[in-house]
Every structure is written in C-alpha cells, then in structure tokens.
Amino acid sequence: MTTTVLVAGATGDLGGRIVHELLQHDTRVRVLTRPSSDAVQRRFADDDRIDVVTADYSDATALSAALAGVDVVVSAVSGTRAVIVDAQRAMLDAAVEAGVPRFIPSDYAADYRSITPGSNRNFELRREFAAALDAAPIRATSVLNGAFTDMLTGQAPLILFDRQRVLYWSSADQVLDFTTKDDVARVTALVALDADAPRVVEVAGDRVTARSIADTMSRLTGTPFRLQWAGTTGTLSAMARVGRRLSKDDAEPFPAWQGMQYFVSMFSGEAELHHVDDDRYGPHGWTSVRDVLAAHLGV
C-alpha cells in the first residue's frame, strides 16, 4: 500500500528536500500550510502526488482533520519555542487524535540528549519536545546527523578562508559530525517509510576534526591552512551567555550567540554521535566535507 506522509515545513530548505526525496518512492505526500500562507500552494499545487492541507496550529479540530489518514508525520519546521515546542506539540496532539501511527520530529542536529543544561538553547528546546513525544501514545524516530556540512562554507566561522586558518576550541582532535542537507533529506524519507525505525537514527556524512579540515584545505588550495586555538569551550560558553543577555530578540533561531553554543556542544564532545549507522538503508555515496569544500572553492 502507498504510504501517506504529511510534511510540515515543506517550503523550508530542508523540508523541500525531504518532499523531493519522498517522491522518489511509492508515497502520497501531504504538505501542511497555515491559512495565511500561500507559499505551499505556489510551490506544490501543480504536482498531482502532493495534497495541500490547511490548518492553523492553534485550531486543534482543523489540525486533526488535516492529519486524518496519514501514516507518518514528518516535521521540518524551524524556529524557537513557539515552533519547536508549541507548534510541534499541537501537531503531536492532533496526530494522536487522528490515530497517526508515527511521528518524526524536527531534530536534524547533533546529539542534544546529553548536553549541559543552559549550554545550548536550540538543543534544549528539542530535548523538551522529545520528552513530550516520548510520553505520547505514538511511535517516534528522531534523525540525528551532527551539523549541516554547509555550515562550513556559510554562517559558521570555523574556516577563515581569507586568513588560511581553521579555528578550534579546547581540542583540535575532537571528532565533529557533518552531513549535507540532501543526505539528511534522503535518510529522513527512508525513515518515514521504515515502519521498524528505532527511536533514534544516527548518521554522519563525514566525521572530521579541526586538524583534518586544515589538512583538507591545505591540499585543496595548495596553501598551508594552520590551526588557530580560539580558547576553551568554557570561555566560548561564557561569551555565548553574554551575547544572549545583550541580544534584543531571543526569538531569532540562529543569532551569533546560538552559533557559539553549537560550537560549545560540538567541541566539548557532548553532542558527538556515538551510534552512527550509515549503512542502515544500504550503501550510499555520502557527500564528504572535502566534497563540499572543493565545490565551494571551485576546484
């Protein structure tokens, strides 16, 4: 039988990729949109394998009706408390009410389960929702993938391209997990179709260190990239706390201080993945950190 998958957050960067991957399989995709938004209609209305359903997260009746007949909910929403906790909790309640068997939350991150309280806001919001999800009468699977690899060429100032430096905190040999959004979307689609998926599926497209990244950059560019110690993770955590106190808007999903907190979680080792199973769904040509850096450099 064809599996019906509802995707929330389908117009987002990752959500759109998940929809694309789901359509490579025998699925019926249902995308959820709010009444005030027409972005989903503009993007998906012409695809006859996609059904667009409308419901406000505050309307429990409409939300439950939108989820009726769904086999699995895939959440790819992005935000802070109002989204990760409140909106997902509304979806979870509606899924239980509608008799949906499975729920995949919007985690797609490093392992947030053992981080120090107060050290990473976004991770703690995911941990808070995970507690509600575990208490609900529904089967859940979280996809944990480390950081998105495109962070290395975008918003995360780990590689100082113009200065030929790679920053690190505490240890240059701490293992760092990275996975591209395309690879995460592929795994998420397969998890949605896997009725026997466990509570957590861990994947890592690549596992590197600051030292190996510096070596990769040196080889790709022909110019020596050197390691630069930026302090301890304790110092970075303190800086993030100050940045958060001075921030004018705590509702911004990825302010600079949140990026600091992410590096604290990664370089401290608290968010490192320990049960990676890249072969769960068979052999796959994972996109490596080197692949992403080479594409960015055009070499």
Side-chain angles (χ1 to χ4, degrees):
M1 294 179 62
T2 300
T3 301
T4 298
V5 184
L6 180 136
V7 179
T11 58
D13 190 7
L14 180 61
R17 296 170 198 247
I18 292 172
V19 170
H20 173 77
E21 289 294 332
L22 285 167
L23 292 176
Q24 309 310 305
H25 304 275
D26 184 18
T27 57
R28 185 79 194 178
V29 178
R30 195 180 298 183
V31 295
L32 177 67
T33 183
R34 293 186 296 264
S36 60
S37 174
D38 62 356
V40 167
Q41 290 285 359
R42 291 198 309 270
R43 183 167 179 177
F44 299 116
D46 294 335
D47 194 318
D48 60 9
R49 291 181 59 193
I50 298 177
D51 300 314
V52 177
V53 292
T54 303
D56 196 289
Y57 289 111
S58 62
D59 187 339
T61 300
L63 201 54
S64 182
L67 271 61
V70 167
D71 296 301
V72 55
V73 170
V74 175
S75 176
V77 296
S78 178
T80 53
R81 172 169 294 279
V83 177
I84 298 302
V85 177
D86 299 339
Q88 285 201 117
R89 197 155 200 166
M91 272 195 292
L92 173 60
D93 292 342
V96 171
E97 178 66 24
V100 177
R102 300 175 58 225
F103 195 106
I104 299 173
S106 186
D107 285 346
Y108 318 115
D111 193 345
Y112 56 79
R113 293 172 293 179
S114 299
I115 61 164
T116 299
S119 65
N120 191 314
R121 178 200 62 183
N122 287 5
F123 281 3
E124 290 183 69
L125 292 174
R126 281 162 171 77
R127 187 159 62 186
E128 182 178 341
F129 178 69
L133 186 54
D134 287 338
I138 194 169
R139 290 191 58 201
T141 299
S142 291
V143 176
L144 299 182
N145 51 260
F148 291 130
T149 316
D150 63 2
M151 286 175 58
L152 292 171
T153 58
Q155 71 225 52
L158 186 65
I159 303 174
L160 305 182
F161 291 90
D162 58 341
R163 293 173 55 191
Q164 294 81 49
R165 294 288 187 272
V166 175
L167 300 181
Y168 72 94
W169 289 264
S170 291
S171 173
D173 297 306
Q174 170 60 47
V175 173
L176 310 172
D177 303 299
F178 288 100
T179 313
T180 64
K181 290 178 181 176
D182 282 340
D183 281 338
V184 173
R186 170 188 167 272
V187 170
T188 303
L190 292 171
V191 168
L193 298 174
D194 180 5
D196 297 319
R199 178 62 183 85
V200 175
V201 170
E202 295 183 18
V203 294
D206 205 352
R207 312 193 78 188
V208 297
T209 65
R211 191 180 306 280
S212 71
I213 291 173
D215 181 64
T216 296
M217 287 298 300
S218 299
R219 293 174 183 273
L220 287 173
T221 64
T223 302
F225 269 67
R226 304 189 187 284
L227 291 166
Q228 182 170 322
W229 185 70
T232 67
T233 55
T235 301
L236 185 60
S237 185
M239 292 173 60
R241 286 195 296 272
V242 172
R244 185 175 187 180
R245 284 198 297 270
L246 296 176
S247 177
K248 291 182 169 60
D249 186 6
D250 200 50
E252 172 66 31
F254 301 107
W257 58 263
Q258 175 62 65
M260 294 179 189
Q261 289 189 335
Y262 212 109
F263 279 153
V264 169
S265 298
M266 294 180 70
F267 277 94
S268 68
E270 289 188 344
E272 182 183 341
L273 302 176
H274 294 288
H275 303 284
V276 172
D277 186 4
D278 283 349
D279 294 330
R280 177 176 177 82
Y281 298 109
H284 174 65
W286 297 87
T287 305
S288 68
V289 165
R290 185 191 186 284
D291 294 334
V292 171
L293 294 176
H296 179 72
L297 295 167
V299 297

